Amino acid sequence: MEATVYLLFILVLSIFLGFELISKVPSTLHTPLMSGANAISGITIVGAILLAGRQEDPVSAYIGAAALVFATINVIGGYLVTDRMLAMFHAKDKSNPKDRN
Amino acid sequence: MTLEICYILAAILFIVGLKRLNSPTTARNGNMLSAVGMFLAVAATLCSGDLDYRYIVAGLVIGGAIGGAAARMIEMTAIPEMVALFNGFGGIASLLVGWGEFHSGRTELGSGTLAAIGFAVVIGGVTFSGSVTAYGKLSGKIAGRPVMFTGQQLANAILLIVTLICSALMVAGPGFAADYRLFAVIAVLSLVLGVLAVLPIGGADMPVVISLLNSYSGLAACAAGFVILNKVLIVSGALVGASGIILTKIMCKAMNRSLTNVLFSGFGATVASHGAKTEGAVNPMTPDDAYYVLEAARSVVIAPGYGMAVAQAQHVVRELGQLLEDNGCEVHYAIHPVAGRMPGHMNVLLAEANVPYDQLVEPDAVNSIMETVDVGLVIGANDVVNPAARDDKNSPIYGMPVIDIARARTVFVLKRSMASGFAGIENPLFFRNNTRMLFGDAKSTVSALVASFKA
């Protein structure tokens, strides 16, 4: 019980921190924000690894392996596509030949 | 101990990474930091002890290959459906973690853990099937219009209540075998609920739905964190949950509608013409004539919408913008928060086409100077430039903040036909004296304008 309360405490503080952080993100970056945040939500990968590696219970390991595939797609795909998007954002720079073609 | 420290470091990197997303100059680095945090959390978990690596390696390799390939090959116009699908994958992963823990825990699970499993399964299940439905709508695999039937809201409410009752029963714990049946019922009902909840929502309301599902995927990770009592899952899940909630709020505000209205009203399902009848004639124009006006213009505001994405016109639009600038004209792109199918969709497309982000401005920034703008160029946008939202109290979108392009000296509207937007609302902009319609595919119209400039 005490452990749960402690975790709830962390949860509430993190939500407030999240509000503070995200409300400062400009609307230009909302799509990369969303896909980047999505990649972070793939943190379930940690739970999936622990489950997939469980030796004493094969059924749980199968379920964990399936969870791991989905979570890994979420993490790898999410970070890579966010990086691809963010690489395209650039400021106005007249000396940059890419702007002038 | 080392494991916990690595998790703390990972959480710090996620937080700093999100913080650096507050400017386009630092955002890429921020995403990198966040990825390093994820790598750290995964590496630390892999080293944490007595694990059988066979399935782990298989899962990481298969998932990594699929995710990597998808991220590389996806077209920028298809980003909304991809993000929707990834959201869903996060949700199903949390559901499966809940299931696996339930299966291996058997009779030893305390009621707290069972409750957490219930949350992980319900939120994860709704996120997964809801996201897959949203993916279907966004990619055009199923009808994008709202799917409604009588008693829909009642059915959804009953479904939700039954799911919650089953979860409560499971937590009360009548024994493992009975619990397992309850577990299966909860999982199936959650999946059905996700589909039914997203079906009545129309394509143009997708920015809200994706934001909300984004938030759910975070909350599902959070619930999974409570199942395995892992702090890094809780912190990261909460950050994502908060992010999704904020985006949902911004999207609703940009449409001047409440979240309940977006989720339950089936906006756009009824194509009744509300509001005052529009008067005046439609004035079509050829690109050749439009060129002479643009050629003389000193300031131009471009308002892109979903139509630009559909026509894949972002590259020619940028070319036109560049030619206008070379001609001594001031060019701004006014981006409405709900233009496109997800928050910031237009910004990414224009960034892909190499438009500098400082030229992308929010409606407020141009509305104040709109009277001084020579030409407002509407490309595939409709409801977000509808002056009825400002003038017509009877219009269903009255009060929605719009790009006030109607107040520009001349307005060119690039449009396929005279069909109305998602809300089925007539747009008086098309009938105004200072408006000229350029009918046809946005890409070929803009290409024609570009060709005139180059000639």
Side-chain angles (χ1 to χ4, degrees):
Chain A
M1 190 60 207
E2 209 165 302
T4 314
V5 173
Y6 168 62
L7 291 177
L8 281 173
F9 188 68
I10 292 179
L11 170 68
V12 173
L13 291 182
S14 308
I15 290 177
F16 277 100
L17 177 61
F19 282 147
E20 284 302 313
L21 286 173
I22 308 299
S23 39
K24 295 197 176 67
V25 176
S27 61
T28 293
L29 292 177
H30 277 167
T31 296
L33 163 68
M34 192 171 269
S35 80
N38 193 226
I40 295 179
S41 80
I43 188 70
T44 315
I45 194 170
V46 167
I49 289 173
L50 294 173
L51 202 56
R54 200 161 288 178
Q55 288 162 344
E56 69 276 18
D57 185 354
V59 178
S60 290
Y62 296 147
I63 299 171
L68 188 51
V69 171
F70 284 117
T72 311
I73 296 176
N74 193 188
V75 167
I76 302 283
Y79 279 120
L80 285 181
V81 86
T82 309
D83 186 63
R84 229 184 100 189
M85 278 191 270
L86 289 172
M88 300 183 312
F89 281 87
H90 65 97
K92 192 165 199 163
D93 178 8
K94 292 287 175 193
S95 62
N96 181 354
K98 271 175 90 184
D99 269 4
R100 310 299 299 166
N101 60 18
Chain B
M1 190 60 198
T2 335
L3 182 66
E4 290 291 319
I5 289 170
C6 285
Y7 285 161
I8 293 175
L9 283 175
I12 292 172
L13 287 167
F14 291 150
I15 292 164
V16 176
L18 284 172
K19 189 170 158 47
R20 292 184 76 82
L21 271 180
N22 64 13
S23 154
T25 47
T26 54
R28 196 172 179 202
N29 171 267
N31 185 57
M32 221 83 91
L33 288 179
S34 172
V36 171
M38 184 63 76
F39 179 78
L40 195 61
V42 168
T45 312
L46 286 173
C47 301
S48 66
D50 219 9
L51 294 168
D52 178 353
Y53 288 103
R54 282 174 302 166
Y55 296 128
I56 297 179
V57 171
L60 286 174
V61 168
I62 297 172
I66 299 174
R72 227 170 283 277
M73 293 189 305
I74 192 81
E75 293 270 348
M76 283 299 137
T77 37
I79 288 287
E81 53 254 44
M82 176 156 182
V83 170
L85 204 58
F86 282 177
N87 260 334
F89 287 173
I92 189 79
S94 297
L95 181 151
L96 290 170
V97 168
W99 182 16
E101 291 297 330
F102 179 78
H103 185 90
S104 69
R106 311 246 160 198
T107 45
E108 287 127 50
L109 295 171
S111 54
T113 309
L114 280 170
I117 289 175
F119 276 116
V121 171
V122 173
I123 304 174
V126 169
T127 308
F128 175 65
S129 62
S131 298
V132 170
T133 312
Y135 165 79
K137 286 192 175 229
L138 288 164
S139 59
K141 289 188 172 63
I142 57 175
R145 68 187 157 72
V147 178
M148 310 280 284
F149 56 85
T150 8
Q152 193 166 24
Q153 287 174 38
L154 186 69
N156 285 357
I158 291 173
L159 211 53
L160 180 63
I161 290 167
V162 173
T163 314
L164 293 179
I165 290 174
C166 289
S167 310
L169 284 174
M170 185 175 83
V171 174
F176 185 68
D179 272 2
Y180 222 130
R181 280 194 290 276
L182 281 171
F183 179 90
V185 172
I186 296 167
V188 171
L189 289 184
S190 312
L191 292 172
V192 176
L193 193 60
V195 176
L196 289 182
V198 175
L199 273 181
I201 303 171
D205 286 347
M206 281 298 146
V208 179
V209 178
I210 304 190
S211 308
L212 198 62
L213 289 168
N214 191 227
S215 166
Y216 287 174
S217 76
L219 296 178
C222 233
F226 275 91
V227 175
I228 59 171
L229 301 176
N230 186 314
K231 284 166 232 82
V232 74
L233 262 71
I234 295 175
V235 172
S236 341
L239 292 174
V240 180
S243 147
I245 290 169
I246 289 187
L247 290 174
T248 309
K249 228 178 93 186
I250 294 173
M251 293 302 113
C252 286
K253 209 176 142 215
M255 298 198 292
N256 192 37
R257 288 162 60 198
S258 68
L259 184 58
T260 11
N261 179 281
V262 174
L263 294 182
F264 303 119
S265 74
F267 205 64
T270 48
V271 192
S273 61
H274 312 268
K277 266 273 152 253
T278 36
E279 284 163 22
V282 169
N283 301 301
M285 197 188 217
T286 63
D288 282 346
D289 295 332
Y291 161 71
Y292 291 110
V293 183
L294 283 172
E295 210 270 324
R298 294 279 67 98
S299 68
V300 169
V301 165
I302 300 175
Y306 185 55
M308 184 185 79
V310 174
Q312 298 267 14
Q314 65 271 30
H315 297 279
V316 277
V317 168
R318 191 219 47 124
E319 212 182 337
L320 177 64
Q322 190 67 60
L323 288 165
L324 283 166
E325 283 208 304
D326 291 348
N327 195 30
C329 174
E330 201 185 343
V331 180
H332 287 291
Y333 297 81
I335 318 270
H336 195 276
V338 294
R341 286 296 185 259
M342 78 180 287
H345 189 188
M346 290 298 125
N347 304 74
V348 167
L349 289 182
L350 289 169
E352 183 202 10
N354 221 7
V355 175
Y357 59 77
D358 26 23
Q359 270 185 317
L360 311 176
V361 294
E362 293 182 40
D364 284 347
V366 279
N367 281 349
S368 49
I369 55 153
M370 201 55 92
E371 267 103 4
T372 67
V373 170
D374 292 323
V375 180
L377 201 56
V378 179
I379 304 175
N382 189 347
D383 297 307
V384 297
V385 292
N386 192 336
R390 198 166 39 99
D391 312 324
D392 180 5
K393 281 203 166 66
N394 296 316
S395 170
I397 58 166
Y398 179 73
M400 170 172 155
V402 289
I403 303 167
D404 237 346
I405 206 118
R407 294 208 335 264
R409 296 203 178 102
T410 311
V411 181
F412 292 153
V413 178
L414 276 62
K415 209 171 172 336
R416 228 168 239 289
S417 68
M418 280 307 288
S420 13
F422 75 95
I425 304 161
E426 289 234 331
N427 194 337
L429 175 68
F430 306 155
F431 304 91
R432 287 171 78 107
N433 287 330
N434 62 339
T435 303
R436 297 290 176 273
M437 305 295 295
L438 277 76
F439 288 115
D441 174 68
K443 195 174 179 177
S444 38
T445 309
V446 178
S447 303
L449 288 170
V450 167
S452 308
F453 264 101
K454 282 185 173 166

